[in-house]
């Protein structure tokens, strides 16, 4: 009876936990990247161009394939497949970072997300150099950028409260203490062997000279 009354009077909102933790926003960014990567891979399989591709080229994929033994189309399909695979890989990485190291307040995970985001979102500005604006890519970038930045800002606030004594490096160490001790003993034994060998060599040389 008490439990049912507690459930009925529990009016806590979902917004405060989401506001205090930016990981859901990062997960949302990761899911969007996975969806976009899957869509790009689908387009590469069916070898179809997007509407803005057709508008820029002023020809269909079939018409373009008649030029240059279809090498340009093959290159575009391969490029789109590569782009989709990279997006899917980055989305998977973001999901793992948000769920495991960032949940523990690891600063290095936050920095990986930040540097990766800066590189990825800034790469879109490359269209200024080659003059081709991918409107779908640009729209997705503008929609995801504030979500990703919000996730980073809220996650950083969580790091300052829960992990202010952590360093940039991961909390785990790839070398255990027992392995370190074994390596140290190997160094000591090797030094002893070298010293003994040098002493024996010196004795042999001294006896040779005396003869």
């Amino acid at each position: 009876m008490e439990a049912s009354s507690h459930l009925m009077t529990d009016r806590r909102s979902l917004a405060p936990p989401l506001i205090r933790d930016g990981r859901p926003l990062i997960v949302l960014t990761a899911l969007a990247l996975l969806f976009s990567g899957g869509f790009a891979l689908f387009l590469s399989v069916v070898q179809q161009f997007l509407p803005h591709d057709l508008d820029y080229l002023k020809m269909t994929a079939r018409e373009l394939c008649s030029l240059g033994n279809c090498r340009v189309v093959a290159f575009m399909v391969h490029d789109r497949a590569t782009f989709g695979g990279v997006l899917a890989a980055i989305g998977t990485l973001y999901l793992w970072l948000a769920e495991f190291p960032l949940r523990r307040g690891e600063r290095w995970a936050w920095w990986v997300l930040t540097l990766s985001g800066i590189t990825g979102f800034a790469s879109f500005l490359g269209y200024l150099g080659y003059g081709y604006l991918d409107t779908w890519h640009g729209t997705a970038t503008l929609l995801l950028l504030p979500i990703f930045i919000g996730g980073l800002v809220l996650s950083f606030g969580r790091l300052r409260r829960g992990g202010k004594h952590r360093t940039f490096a991961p909390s785990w160490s790839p070398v255990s203490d027992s392995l370190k001790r074994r390596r140290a003993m190997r160094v000591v034994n090797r030094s002893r062997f070298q010293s003994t060998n040098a002493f024996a060599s010196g004795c042999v040389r001294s006896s040779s000279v005396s003869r």
Side-chain angles (χ1 to χ4, degrees):
M1 191 68 181
E2 294 180 358
S4 61
S5 62
H6 175 70
L7 291 176
M8 295 179 64
T9 57
D10 190 357
R11 298 181 178 179
R12 291 178 296 177
S13 174
L14 183 63
L18 293 179
I19 293 176
R20 288 194 297 266
D21 189 356
R23 289 186 304 111
L25 297 179
I26 295 176
V27 169
L28 180 60
T29 303
L31 294 177
L33 291 175
L34 286 172
F35 174 79
S36 301
F39 182 66
L41 290 173
F42 170 77
L43 290 178
S44 66
V45 171
V46 299
Q47 298 186 5
Q48 293 293 325
F49 292 165
L50 294 173
H52 54 269
D53 296 330
L54 300 176
D55 182 67
Y56 182 80
L57 294 171
K58 306 300 181 183
M59 63 179 67
T60 63
R62 185 182 299 273
E63 294 171 344
L64 182 60
C65 193
S66 63
L67 304 175
N69 296 325
C70 208
R71 292 179 180 176
V72 177
V73 173
F75 174 80
M76 293 178 66
V77 169
H78 181 271
D79 178 73
R80 186 149 286 167
T82 304
F83 178 66
V86 169
L87 287 183
I90 294 175
T92 303
L93 175 64
Y94 282 10
L95 284 177
W96 181 82
L97 289 172
E99 181 61 26
F100 295 104
L102 197 61
R103 178 190 289 271
R104 298 191 300 266
E106 299 284 353
R107 289 187 178 271
W108 68 269
W110 187 89
W111 278 107
V112 169
L113 287 168
T114 301
L115 296 177
S116 172
I118 292 174
T119 304
F121 285 104
S123 65
F124 175 72
L125 299 178
Y127 82 92
L128 296 175
Y130 49 76
Y132 173 58
L133 175 60
D134 186 341
T135 54
W136 286 30
H137 188 187
T139 303
T141 300
L142 292 178
L143 291 176
L144 280 181
L145 183 59
I147 297 175
F148 184 72
I149 292 177
L152 289 178
V153 171
L154 296 176
S155 298
F156 185 75
R158 187 170 181 269
L159 287 177
R160 287 183 296 179
R161 291 192 296 271
K164 59 183 179 180
H165 297 298
R166 298 177 185 267
T167 60
F168 179 80
S171 58
W172 52 269
S173 175
V175 181
S176 61
D177 293 335
S178 60
L179 182 58
K180 291 179 180 179
R181 286 194 294 269
R182 288 197 298 270
R183 289 180 177 179
M185 289 302 300
R186 290 174 185 172
V187 173
V188 172
N189 292 333
R190 184 170 57 190
S191 299
R192 291 175 179 175
F193 175 77
Q194 291 174 349
S195 299
T196 304
N197 190 26
F199 178 76
S201 299
C203 293
V204 171
R205 291 176 181 174
S206 299
S207 59
S208 301
V209 172
S210 61
R211 289 178 184 178

